[in-house]
Amino acid sequence: MKGEGRAECGGEVLAEDLDFPSDDKSLFSDSTTPISRLQGNITWRRPQEICQSPVLFPDNINLGHAKQGLLGDCWFLCACTILLKNKHLLNKVLPPDQPQWGDSKYRGFFQFRFWQQGHWTEVTIDDRLPCINTTLCFSRCHCPTAFWVALLEKAYAKLHGSYERLWAGQVSEALVDLTGGLAEHWSLGDLGSEEEQRPEQDSDQVRRRRLDLNLLYPVRDDCALSCSTQSSPGGASELGQYHALTVLEWLDVKTSSGSKVRLLRIRNPWGRCCFGGAWIGSGAGWSSVDPVCASELQARVAEGEFWLDEAEFMTQFDDVTVGYPITKEGHLKSIYTGCLLKHFHQLPGRWVKGHSAGGSRNSSSYGTNPKFWLKVSERGEVLVSLLQHRKWRKMDKYAQKPPEDSKNTKHQHYQATALHMWKVEKKRFNLSRMLNKPPCASTHCHAYEREVVLQGQLEPGYYLLIPSTYQPGAEARFLIRVFSSSSISLSALKSPAPSLPLTTDGEWETSYFRGSWVEGRTAGGSRNFLSHWQNPCFPFTVCDDPAVTSGVNIRITLHQSRPDTDLHPIGFHIYKVSEGASVQMIPRDEDPVASCVPHCYTQDVSLDCSLLPGTYTILTSTYEPDCPADFTLSLARRIHRKVVKSQERLGRAIQETRSRALLGPEHSRRLKRPQEQMTSGRIEGMK
């Protein structure tokens, strides 16, 4: 385990996670939430120090549900319920057969996995848990000797940076992180809320759709359903702020009059009922149901659970989150049709100010947003999601705002985004003319959500997807995911980057280098791999004239010598090195001064940049190791030399072609080495 320390306990050597230590650094991020009052009162204990015979799961699985502690993470705990219903999802998040307490192989740590930005990420923790005296102060199981919830919560806190960062969130986000699937947020209350009347909206905005339980009935046993409230249902004053609860089951029950009533069993993470209705305890509603049926349904209610009928459910809660079912084979099941969506593609992207952050359709720069080709081979159901990377709030700025202000918090974490799609009849088309037409499908309004989803039945053909932020110039990284019942392909349409300013007081000098990525030797792959530094390197100097102190324009192009049908994703990084030093002397956690990433499936990738005088090296790579290929690298440097002015004139104008550039490296929040991502698809045109 990274950052591992050691501790002795009963003769056994137990791990201590130094990256997520048992102190205030792991508990608090900005000390703006109510748990900041716990500073100085927390002790950290292992499960065997809390009870005599700890286990991960109790024999009675109903006692394995989460019970919320002093941390405001009901949103996360509601999502955890889906794991108890689906063994294959639980095994994905918590790999089975890990040594536990009492096992001779037990060493005091556990491994978990969470889905992050398109990939499963492993998180390892030790099992020291925050307590007040000898009692867990945060989430736990209803069974006091079961610890899977407390350990999963700690791993999720480590992923986010601290326990405090789990205070307030969206059930949909936790569901996606725990399943790798999709989740949608639907309204139950009055349409047209204050937030939906904000000025951040397109000309084609529609109000958030209302939930129709009949739509979900075919998948009711497989999907995850959570409800939330921002008011006080049933007059329960303690629910006067945002709170999420879980819908465990729902069914239609025949009444004595012959009609049917739909009942929903709700679990409150607080572990107690905060609602008074016709079906609570021995409420009046049960008198209308057959006594045997009533007795059976009432017997299902455990601690913190209660029944509501559909009318009560629709009026007492404000919205619901629906998590898509996922089969044991890993396929998504549509909540709209129940169809299996066996075909899947995903691609990363980013909005860059001045380059690809074009804003909404209200803006004249909308056409500069990232664009993606979607090819549909046969008619079928297609789901497209736009998931943006979370941006963590700045502590000093956030501290000025109340932590319970969920709207402000959400807006600081995410940009307002939307996704629009046009059907393209021909491979060549006029972009401006097409964008003036209504899209064939869209998410309609820009929403401050981590993920927005577009669904529809699509005919065969080509479609253009354009994700956008509401404000022009708003920067963020994102992931486009497509799930479909029929065969599809997804590729990025590259837009040229702005060229360097034209200069009239200098000339360009170009050098050419040839190199090879050799399997097992110099094909080291991207920065995600330790072998990255085995890739070919090409040193160069930028202007050794001491009189030059400003930046010098550099133009670098990497060309791979492979057929167009068998390309590797390629890219390169530029590192600053000391004079006379080799690439082996560069610290392995050193950030490049410039990069041409993400890696792209194309013959050529280029970067224009400005570098200060000094010594540099270019490190070229494929995305994965051991991808052999020959390549050519061209390096053009502007020479600081005065040009003799003359009256000569050209008889014909010369047009310069603009190279394509991707600005800046992509970083990972969790690993020391940035997690690079690659785009799949050609530079131009469609497959």
Side-chain angles (χ1 to χ4, degrees), residues 70 230 398:
L70 299 178
Q230 299 181 28
Y398 180 76

Side-chain angles (χ1 to χ4, degrees), residues 68 71-79 166 171 242-245 269-270:
Q68 188 175 351
L71 185 62
D73 60 348
C74 57
W75 58 282
F76 172 66
L77 303 181
C78 286
L166 300 187
V171 179
Y242 174 83
H243 186 54
L245 302 90
W270 289 346

Side-chain angles (χ1 to χ4, degrees), residues 99-111:
Q100 299 182 36
W101 311 275
D103 190 324
S104 60
K105 297 180 181 180
Y106 162 75
R107 291 295 179 267
F109 66 90
F110 289 89
Q111 294 177 335

Side-chain angles (χ1 to χ4, degrees), residues 192-208 359-363 411 416-418 420 442-448 468-472:
S193 67
E194 178 183 350
E195 181 171 341
E196 288 160 352
Q197 298 303 322
R198 290 175 177 271
E200 296 98 333
Q201 53 188 338
D202 293 38
S203 58
D204 60 349
Q205 174 175 0
V206 298
R207 294 170 174 174
R208 185 193 295 259
S360 72
R361 296 177 67 207
N362 301 334
S363 171
H411 293 184
T417 61
H420 294 76
S442 74
T443 55
H444 302 294
C445 64
H446 285 76
Y448 286 104
S468 63
T469 59
Y470 180 75
Q471 293 290 348

Side-chain angles (χ1 to χ4, degrees), residues 92-93 113-116 118-122 176-180:
K92 190 78 173 180
V93 174
R113 286 194 293 253
F114 300 99
W115 189 90
Q116 294 286 286
H119 305 281
W120 286 95
T121 300
E122 186 173 286
V176 173
D177 291 346
L178 293 175
T179 67

Side-chain angles (χ1 to χ4, degrees), residues 325-559:
I326 300 177
T327 67
K328 293 181 180 179
E329 296 74 27
H331 299 312
L332 212 68
K333 183 184 291 187
S334 171
I335 61 175
Y336 295 94
T337 64
C339 291
L340 284 180
L341 307 176
K342 294 184 177 181
H343 301 271
F344 170 72
H345 288 278
Q346 65 180 24
L347 282 178
R350 67 188 307 174
W351 294 288
V352 179
K353 186 176 182 180
H355 172 41
S356 59
S360 72
R361 296 177 67 207
N362 301 334
S363 171
S364 59
S365 59
Y366 175 77
T368 64
N369 280 301
K371 291 171 277 291
F372 297 85
W373 285 122
L374 174 63
K375 180 183 178 181
V376 179
S377 300
E378 54 186 286
R379 190 179 192 277
E381 183 178 6
V382 178
L383 285 168
V384 185
S385 91
L386 168 61
L387 186 149
Q388 60 177 308
H389 293 206
R390 184 184 181 106
K391 56 175 183 176
W392 291 105
R393 57 186 179 265
K394 294 183 178 180
M395 300 309 179
D396 53 348
K397 180 179 180 181
Y398 180 76
Q400 300 172 5
K401 297 186 178 182
E404 65 272 11
D405 188 345
S406 59
K407 294 179 182 178
N408 286 338
T409 302
K410 190 197 300 184
H411 293 184
Q412 287 186 353
H413 289 327
Y414 302 116
Q415 303 288 355
T417 61
L419 183 63
H420 294 76
M421 179 168 64
W422 284 264
K423 181 81 159 56
V424 180
E425 301 299 335
K426 299 179 181 179
K427 290 187 177 181
R428 295 183 179 275
F429 63 93
N430 184 297
L431 179 63
S432 299
R433 191 178 304 161
M434 186 195 70
L435 295 182
N436 285 330
K437 299 179 181 179
C440 65
S442 74
T443 55
H444 302 294
C445 64
H446 285 76
Y448 286 104
E449 304 282 352
R450 185 175 76 165
E451 187 169 25
V452 294
V453 179
L454 183 157
Q455 182 269 348
Q457 297 285 337
L458 297 186
E459 299 294 333
Y462 290 97
Y463 296 83
L464 187 66
L465 297 170
I466 301 185
S468 63
T469 59
Y470 180 75
Q471 293 290 348
E475 296 192 314
R477 294 162 59 195
F478 62 83
L479 183 72
I480 292 284
R481 297 193 288 163
V482 183
F483 305 83
S484 176
S485 61
S486 60
S487 179
I488 55 171
S489 64
L490 180 69
S491 59
L493 177 64
K494 291 292 182 179
S495 299
S499 62
L500 289 170
L502 296 178
T503 57
T504 57
D505 59 344
E507 59 187 77
W508 291 80
E509 176 185 73
T510 304
S511 303
Y512 295 89
F513 307 91
R514 294 186 182 275
S516 299
W517 293 296
V518 180
E519 186 175 355
R521 293 175 54 195
T522 59
S526 65
R527 299 182 75 205
N528 299 340
F529 303 94
L530 294 175
S531 56
H532 173 70
W533 297 94
Q534 298 173 9
N535 284 297
C537 295
F538 301 89
F540 68 97
T541 301
V542 174
C543 192
D544 52 9
D545 185 351
V548 177
T549 58
S550 60
V552 176
N553 288 349
I554 304 293
R555 181 176 297 147
I556 301 171
T557 301
L558 175 64
H559 172 87

